Amino acid sequence: MAREKSQACGVDASDLYAAAVCWWSTAIAPAAVLPSWPEAPLSVWSSFVSKGTQLPPLHAALDIDRVAPLATRQHVTSRREFSSALFSAHRDYRTGRGADAVLLTGSPFPPSGQRASTITPLLEGPIRQAWDGRHYFISRQWHHKRPAAPPPRVGVMWELSSDEWQRFNALHAATFSRSLHFTRRPPTPPSQERRPNSPALQWLHALTTAYGWVFQHRPILEFSPAAIDKLTAFVDAGGAKRSTLPRLAYDFLVRDRDHLCRISGALAASEMSRVQGIHVDAAWSLVRRAMLDTLTLLHTPSSTIRNLTAGLDTAISSVADTAPAETPRQIKSWGQKPTLTSTTNKTRGASVVNRIKNWYKACQMCGEAIHLPHQDRAYTEAAHIQPLNGDTPGPDIIENLLCLCANCHVRFDYGALVISDSLVVIDTATGKELGKLGMHPWHNIDPKFLRHHREQWTDSTKRAPTAQQEQPRDN
C-alpha cells in the first residue's frame, strides 16, 4: 500500500511507511500500553530531513484523515506555535475538553538567517511529559507537580531542512533523543509491472478494524518470550559499542530500545496481537534506518556505524520466533474517569462533540436531520449512553456518545429506546426492532455502556428521574 501510494504522491515508500507508523502510534496511544512502561504513551516521534531537494510534504501525501482518526492535528512553523500547541493540549486535557491525541507537524526550529533560541525549562518539562508520560517527574525548581492523570497523547512528525535539523540537534536536547531522525529519499520510480490485486483497500479495512479493537479493549501489549529475548540481546550487543560514540550520537542512541518497543507495540496493535518476535524484527528495520541516517548526519565515521549496526543485526536475528500470534490480555476499559471540577466540565467536551457531529449529519437512530437555514447546517445533539451524572457516572469519551436528533435524544434518555449489543434500536414499549443504528466507520461504541443503559430501563419498575435528578441535555 505504501509503495502504491508513494508512486501516486511522488514520495519514497519507506518515508511514507515511517510517517504512517508515527501517525498510527499517536492515534492509538490513548488506548494501548506496554507492560514494561504502562505510564508512558505508545507515541513514536519522528523528524524527516530534506537535504536541498524540495519534496512533497509527508502529512499531505499520507492522506492522514483516512489512515487514522486523530481528534486533531496542528501544523506549527515556529517555537512559539510549538509552545502554544503543547500547552493548549495540556490545558484542554486537564479541564476535560482535550482531544484523545494530537499530532504536531511542520517545523518549530529556526531556519537559516534567524536567531536561534533554546527551549526553556518551562517548555522542556511538558515535552518530556508528553513522551515519557507520568513516569517523568519534573524538577521542583520548575514549580511543576507530578500530574495526577496521564498527560495528553502528543505525537510529533517534523519535516525539516538540513539547516533546521542542525539547529534542532544543537539546541533542543529534550526532543532530539526522543525522535527518530530520517533523511528524506527521492521518490521511487514507478513500477512498469501492474499488480492485478491491489492490497490498499484490504490494508485500510484491516487498520480500521484494529483501531476499533484497540479502543474497545484497551489492551496491554505484552511481549512474547522471543520478543523479550530479542530486546535483551539488542541491549546487550549495543551497550559497550554505544559508549565509544561521540556525545551527541550517544545521547540519541540512549533511547533506541524505547523506540524499538514502541514501534513493535504499534505494529502488534495493527494486527490485534501481543508483541511477537516478527514485530521486533520489523521495528528494527525502521530504527536501524533512523540510526544510520542520524549517525551519518552527525558525521560519524562509516566504520563505526558499520561496526555498531552489524552487531545489532546479529543480536536481533540470532533469536528465532516460532510462537503463534496471541491476543493480548485486556485491562479495565476507561479506567480514568473525568475529573469534574466545575459545572462547565459536567457538560460535553467541545472536542468530542465536534468530532461526532462532523461524522454524522443526521440522527443515528431515525436518520432525520433538522436543517437550520440561518446557520447553514443540520442540527443534531451529542447524547451520552451512560450519563456523566448519577451514582455511576460514565466517562467523557467518544465511545460513550451518540449523535441524535432532539426527539430521539429525549426518548433514549428516558428509556423509550434502547440499543442491543448488535446495534439494533429497540422500542421498549412494543419490543419492536426499529432498525440498525447508523455508524461511522471510525465510531466504536463500547457495548458495556449499552448494557448499562438497558439495565436502567428494561425493568418495568424503574421510574423516570425526578426534577432534581434531571440534568441539561448535551448539545
Side-chain angles (χ1 to χ4, degrees):
M1 185 271 183
R3 183 171 297 279
E4 295 175 356
K5 181 75 174 174
S6 69
Q7 292 176 1
C9 301
V11 299
D12 179 68
S14 60
D15 288 348
L16 200 65
Y17 173 69
V21 169
C22 176
W23 189 275
W24 168 250
S25 69
T26 304
I28 63 173
V33 298
L34 298 174
S36 57
W37 201 355
E39 292 184 329
L42 201 65
S43 308
V44 177
W45 290 10
S46 60
S47 60
F48 295 87
V49 185
S50 298
K51 301 181 71 174
T53 307
Q54 191 69 24
L55 296 172
L58 285 169
H59 67 85
L62 192 58
D63 192 13
I64 286 172
D65 293 335
R66 294 190 63 202
V67 176
L70 292 180
T72 184
R73 178 177 73 89
Q74 294 193 40
H75 192 75
V76 302
T77 58
S78 67
R79 187 178 67 82
R80 182 185 295 269
E81 291 181 1
F82 177 30
S83 174
S84 176
L86 198 61
F87 278 107
S88 294
H90 278 255
R91 182 185 64 249
D92 293 345
Y93 192 87
R94 287 196 305 270
T95 56
R97 298 191 302 271
D100 292 336
V102 57
L103 184 77
L104 305 180
T105 59
S107 170
F109 309 109
S112 178
Q114 294 187 14
R115 183 174 62 87
S117 59
T118 59
I119 286 182
T120 64
L122 185 63
L123 179 57
E124 187 172 322
I127 290 172
R128 295 186 178 186
Q129 275 190 23
W131 199 84
D132 297 344
R134 282 189 297 176
H135 185 84
Y136 174 74
F137 182 76
I138 300 178
S139 171
R140 291 177 181 268
Q141 66 183 357
W142 294 341
H143 307 292
H144 284 280
K145 295 180 179 179
R146 184 181 179 91
R153 301 320 190 194
V154 177
V156 170
M157 193 174 79
W158 303 133
E159 296 188 57
L160 315 170
S161 67
S162 179
D163 179 73
E164 288 174 324
W165 187 85
Q166 294 295 335
R167 293 169 179 262
F168 177 19
N169 72 61
L171 300 171
H172 300 56
T175 51
F176 180 76
S177 64
R178 289 168 170 79
S179 299
L180 291 171
H181 307 279
F182 302 97
T183 301
R184 290 287 301 271
R185 299 175 178 177
T188 307
S191 173
Q192 301 297 324
E193 181 181 346
R194 293 180 61 88
R195 298 181 182 179
N197 297 319
S198 171
L201 292 179
Q202 297 177 5
W203 180 85
L204 184 61
H205 175 73
L207 202 59
T208 305
T209 303
Y211 181 85
W213 174 83
V214 167
F215 274 83
Q216 179 178 345
H217 296 294
R218 302 272 172 143
I220 296 177
L221 298 168
E222 295 180 319
F223 290 83
S224 70
I228 294 174
D229 290 344
K230 283 179 178 288
L231 291 170
T232 302
F234 175 82
V235 173
D236 292 342
K241 295 178 180 179
R242 291 188 193 93
S243 61
T244 63
L245 294 172
R247 179 64 190 178
L248 195 56
Y250 177 82
D251 288 344
F252 165 69
L253 294 179
V254 75
R255 289 188 172 83
D256 51 7
R257 181 185 181 275
D258 295 333
H259 293 305
L260 198 62
C261 288
R262 291 182 184 216
I263 297 174
S264 301
L267 296 177
S270 70
E271 298 180 355
M272 297 178 286
S273 165
R274 68 172 179 170
V275 180
Q276 303 287 316
I278 190 173
H279 299 129
V280 179
D281 291 338
W284 168 235
S285 68
L286 205 57
V287 175
R288 186 182 192 276
R289 182 198 159 183
M291 184 181 295
L292 291 172
D293 288 352
T294 305
L295 295 179
T296 301
L297 286 167
L298 294 173
H299 307 293
T300 306
S302 57
S303 58
T304 303
I305 298 176
R306 287 195 302 270
N307 185 34
L308 175 63
T309 55
L312 296 176
D313 287 338
T314 302
I316 291 286
S317 60
S318 64
V319 180
D321 184 13
T322 58
E326 298 178 11
T327 301
R329 67 184 177 89
Q330 300 174 14
I331 60 177
K332 284 188 176 181
S333 297
W334 327 120
Q336 288 288 337
K337 298 294 183 181
T339 303
L340 305 180
T341 57
S342 67
T343 304
T344 302
N345 288 339
K346 294 181 181 181
T347 61
R348 186 68 240 169
S351 62
V352 282
V353 165
N354 291 336
R355 195 201 307 188
I356 200 166
K357 287 187 176 183
N358 287 333
W359 284 349
Y360 301 99
K361 305 302 180 184
C363 177
Q364 286 183 257
M365 289 187 172
C366 67
E368 295 293 328
I370 303 174
H371 292 281
L372 305 175
H374 67 287
Q375 295 186 10
D376 192 27
R377 69 179 181 88
Y379 175 78
T380 53
E381 297 179 353
H384 288 93
I385 302 171
Q386 183 173 341
L388 285 182
N389 309 285
D391 296 333
T392 55
D396 198 17
I397 55 176
I398 200 73
E399 290 78 7
N400 188 33
L401 269 183
L402 297 171
C403 185
L404 305 176
C405 66
N407 187 36
C408 288
H409 191 171
V410 172
R411 297 181 69 193
F412 181 75
D413 280 352
Y414 285 87
L417 299 174
V418 295
I419 303 172
S420 69
D421 283 0
S422 57
L423 303 182
V424 174
V425 182
I426 301 172
D427 186 323
T428 56
T430 63
K432 181 180 178 181
E433 295 184 356
L434 303 182
K436 287 280 282 187
L437 191 71
M439 292 296 297
H440 187 278
W442 295 119
H443 189 190
N444 301 286
I445 297 174
D446 193 327
K448 77 175 184 180
F449 300 132
L450 300 176
R451 298 185 194 113
H452 180 275
H453 179 264
R454 291 197 303 270
E455 290 170 0
Q456 302 304 306
W457 297 108
T458 51
D459 186 348
S460 60
T461 62
K462 297 288 184 183
R463 295 182 299 173
T466 63
Q468 289 79 9
Q469 293 173 318
E470 292 186 13
Q471 298 290 339
R473 289 203 308 271
D474 304 315
N475 292 323

